Amino acid sequence: MVPYSLLVTRLQKALGVRQYHVASVLVKYGVSFWKPGSGIIHQIILEKYEYPGVLLIGTDSHTPNGGSLGGICIGVGGLKCPKVIGVKLMGSLSGWTSPKDVILKVAGILTMKGGTGAIVEYHGPVVDSISCTGMVTVCNMGLEIGTTTSVFHYNLRMKKYMSKTCQADVANLADEFKDHLVPDPGCHYDQLIEVNFSELKLHINGPFTPDLAHPVAEVGKVAEKEECCTNSSYEDMGCSAGGAQQALAHGLKCKSQFTITPCSEQIRASIEQDGYAQTLRDVGGIVLANACGPCIGQLHRKDIKKQEKNIIVTSYNRNFMGHNDMNPKTHAFITSPETVTALAIVGTLKFNPETNYLTGKDSKKFKLEAPDADELPQFRGHLDNISNNLLSGAINIENGKANSVHDAVTHEFGPFPDTAHYYKKYGISWVVIGDENYGKGSSWEHAALEPRHLSGPGHHHQELCQDSRDQPEEAGPAAPDLPDHSEPEGLDEINLLNHTFNETEIQWFSAGSALYRTKELQQ
């Protein structure tokens, strides 16, 4: 990780040229290049470079967030032989408590210097109850207590994360060597801390230092007005949007200024696609660029003067004097993204979302439910939703109507997508018989993906037959008995059709796709 301007200077000197395309040169020499707007570098590293067991050295102070995937990831300067501090996690997270509260609690115990020269190793029987992105939150903020790095032992949540982010092969390899990626039996720690999730309180830390820990029920005595920002994973964005949606349902919007910072382009695109970003805008939030922004002093404020005393609450890592907005009179507090959202809605620190009620626009009182969200998007690409448009514009030659097909079970005509979903549920195979223009134009990819997703094993195009070996991955519930029409309707007839595939295309089709065939050849 090298500053762009410094990189340009060094490349010019090394190559003896003044004019060249930097990205092209980097590719030639095997150096990754991330354009402005790609996201915060430690999130990019998590998404693209980290894996269990890796030893990674970086120049960014947030490099240690790689411990969330079981790696020893160290920022330059922390290379002396470290002590090892063990944090044993017990109980179970519930309600409003989150992984952010874990590190805020640990920061309160160790203080800003307590982790200096040490690796903090999180372990215990309930590690699997924290999502991988939750572990990112804990490891990323570990540097605020001076640690060389933080690490979680390899666990099922890491495997789940890697499997959902196209790294299943890495997860399988980690499984093979998992005994080397967990604490040794009877290992000794230089210091051992125990954190019981069942007793963990919702925390807000600050001001002016990230290790000044307060249970949220007590921090309201400090001040009443705040401006709120968040910097979060997909899961955190989902939790924040969940709280915002509850407020909107009761006619409420934020009483404080509320800004949201996606941590990478991948996260930004996902929250836009899934509606989280719009929900946060609807409640009064502003979605900023994919950058460090307010976390590194780039919070441009017009609501207060330079020396005016005020309070902000963020879900960032740091809250030192003047760190966020360059105003030494700003009292900054740190808490979880969902708590930030709740406080932005009510506009006061004298609010405990675990116990206090809000008043809706209809004058009825209600309590915010603890938000929950998926760690990562569920049907990547939303293929199941896309398939709800299957053949919806096609004219059925049987009845001359659009989006109307005969159901072989119910004997009724209904929409193509509903019938296909029904067939998939009961493991009934089917095919598409289309004319020569089937799937032409911009719909060719959907025309191939949707029938296969809904258990259609192939397509027939005029005199073209694609005989597929593709079957549903898992057997569904027992199918209803199909009516026996073999006499006199002749449904057991076999019609042999020609195809136009060459040998390579036949191999692709038999394997399921060209990509699957490539995978077969690599094994």
Side-chain angles (χ1 to χ4, degrees):
M1 294 172 283
V2 181
Y4 181 78
S5 58
L6 180 59
L7 179 64
V8 170
T9 301
R10 289 182 176 176
L11 282 173
Q12 286 177 336
K13 183 176 181 181
L15 300 176
V17 295
R18 293 184 178 181
Q19 300 292 333
Y20 56 86
H21 195 287
V22 174
S24 299
V25 174
L26 294 176
V27 170
K28 178 179 179 180
Y29 290 97
V31 180
S32 297
F33 176 73
W34 294 92
K35 296 180 180 179
S38 297
I40 304 166
I41 189 60
H42 40 281
Q43 179 68 20
I44 297 298
I45 293 173
L46 171 73
E47 294 173 357
K48 303 296 182 182
Y49 301 107
E50 294 167 357
Y51 56 88
V54 67
L55 174 62
L56 190 150
I57 309 299
T59 60
D60 186 272
S61 61
H62 297 284
T63 301
N65 77 346
S68 59
L69 277 178
I72 301 296
C73 303
I74 303 171
V76 168
L79 299 179
K80 293 182 179 179
C81 185
K83 298 182 296 182
V84 181
I85 298 174
V87 177
K88 185 177 182 180
L89 303 177
M90 303 172 293
S92 59
L93 286 175
S94 61
W96 281 84
T97 53
S98 71
K100 191 79 170 190
D101 297 300
V102 175
I103 185 59
L104 293 176
K105 176 69 173 179
V106 171
I109 295 172
L110 289 177
T111 75
M112 287 181 59
K113 296 182 179 180
T116 302
I119 291 177
V120 176
E121 182 180 291
Y122 293 86
H123 64 283
V126 296
V127 166
D128 284 346
S129 68
I130 305 178
S131 67
C132 188
T133 52
M135 296 178 204
V136 170
T137 297
V138 175
C139 291
N140 196 27
M141 193 171 167
L143 66 116
E144 308 307 334
I145 54 176
T147 59
T148 299
T149 193
S150 301
V151 63
F152 282 83
H153 65 71
Y154 179 69
N155 58 73
L156 291 176
R157 300 304 288 267
M158 296 180 189
K159 180 179 180 180
K160 178 181 177 182
Y161 178 87
M162 289 186 289
S163 297
K164 283 194 170 185
T165 54
C166 304
Q167 302 176 78
D169 54 340
V170 179
N172 293 333
L173 188 61
D175 265 354
E176 185 178 344
F177 294 96
K178 62 183 178 182
D179 291 342
H180 299 283
L181 300 171
V182 296
D184 296 329
C187 62
H188 171 75
Y189 295 101
D190 295 284
Q191 181 180 353
L192 182 62
I193 298 170
E194 294 186 353
V195 176
N196 190 330
F197 286 173
S198 301
E199 300 173 357
L200 187 62
K201 301 295 184 183
L202 194 59
H203 273 66
I204 297 181
N205 285 22
F208 302 136
T209 177
D211 59 354
L212 186 56
H214 307 279
V216 70
E218 301 175 6
V219 78
K221 301 174 184 178
V222 179
E224 299 183 5
K225 184 180 179 183
E226 75 285 332
E227 172 183 358
C228 305
C229 316
T230 90
N231 175 350
S232 312
S233 65
Y234 179 86
E235 180 182 25
D236 289 334
M237 293 289 191
C239 287
S240 296
Q245 189 61 55
Q246 293 181 58
L248 288 169
H250 290 85
L252 301 184
K253 290 191 175 184
C254 291
K255 293 184 178 179
S256 294
Q257 183 176 326
F258 182 40
T259 57
I260 301 97
T261 310
C263 50
S264 72
E265 174 56 22
Q266 181 170 302
I267 298 298
R268 186 210 62 78
S270 296
I271 66 171
E272 289 286 1
Q273 177 176 267
D274 293 347
Y276 290 166
Q278 189 56 50
T279 298
L280 294 170
R281 291 189 188 100
D282 290 344
V283 83
I286 300 172
V287 179
L288 302 179
N290 315 324
C292 294
C295 189
I296 57 170
Q298 296 177 348
L299 178 57
H300 180 58
R301 302 180 63 183
K302 298 181 179 179
D303 57 322
I304 62 167
K305 297 178 180 180
K306 185 69 174 180
Q307 294 294 324
E308 185 177 345
K309 186 176 180 180
N310 71 102
I311 286 178
I312 64 174
V313 181
T314 85
S315 66
Y316 294 127
N317 289 353
R318 296 167 179 164
N319 61 338
F320 304 116
M321 183 181 294
H323 185 80
N324 300 117
D325 61 0
M326 304 303 291
N327 182 358
K329 296 292 185 180
T330 295
H331 291 60
F333 291 82
I334 303 172
T335 188
S336 65
E338 48 266 52
T339 305
V340 168
T341 305
L343 295 178
I345 292 167
V346 299
T348 175
L349 276 178
K350 292 183 177 180
F351 179 78
N352 183 351
E354 293 183 301
T355 58
N356 296 153
Y357 285 79
L358 294 172
T359 302
K361 196 172 182 180
D362 57 3
S363 298
K364 294 182 179 179
K365 292 187 178 296
F366 70 97
K367 189 176 177 182
L368 288 174
E369 296 180 5
D372 188 26
D374 294 324
E375 180 178 6
L376 293 169
Q378 289 293 320
F379 286 98
R380 204 166 180 84
H382 297 270
L383 184 55
D384 203 54
N385 290 333
I386 291 172
S387 298
N388 288 330
N389 296 317
L390 173 73
L391 299 172
S392 57
I395 301 298
N396 186 358
I397 194 173
E398 186 176 5
N399 59 10
K401 296 181 179 180
N403 200 24
S404 177
V405 66
H406 182 262
D407 188 315
V409 179
T410 65
H411 289 297
E412 297 179 354
F413 281 88
F416 283 110
D418 294 352
T419 305
H421 277 289
Y422 182 81
Y423 284 177
K424 179 179 182 179
K425 179 180 179 180
Y426 291 105
I428 301 172
S429 295
W430 55 277
V431 295
V432 174
I433 301 176
D435 64 22
E436 61 183 350
N437 289 320
Y438 178 82
K440 290 291 181 66
S442 60
S443 300
W444 66 270
E445 184 177 21
H446 290 183
L449 291 173
E450 291 174 19
R452 175 172 177 163
H453 176 68
L454 294 176
S455 299
H459 310 78
H460 294 238
H461 298 265
Q462 286 192 331
E463 296 183 356
L464 176 142
C465 172
Q466 301 180 359
D467 182 17
S468 173
R469 304 176 189 177
D470 219 13
Q471 296 296 331
E473 293 183 1
E474 298 182 3
D481 292 333
L482 291 172
D484 184 6
H485 293 297
S486 57
E487 302 178 4
E489 296 183 22
L491 295 184
D492 59 350
E493 291 183 4
I494 297 176
N495 297 302
L496 298 179
L497 303 177
N498 294 325
H499 68 77
T500 59
F501 285 174
N502 60 37
E503 184 61 32
T504 299
E505 290 170 334
I506 291 174
Q507 293 175 355
W508 289 350
F509 191 85
S510 298
S513 72
L515 287 176
Y516 285 142
R517 177 56 180 161
T518 301
K519 185 176 181 179
E520 285 181 352
L521 294 173
Q522 292 176 340
Q523 294 176 344

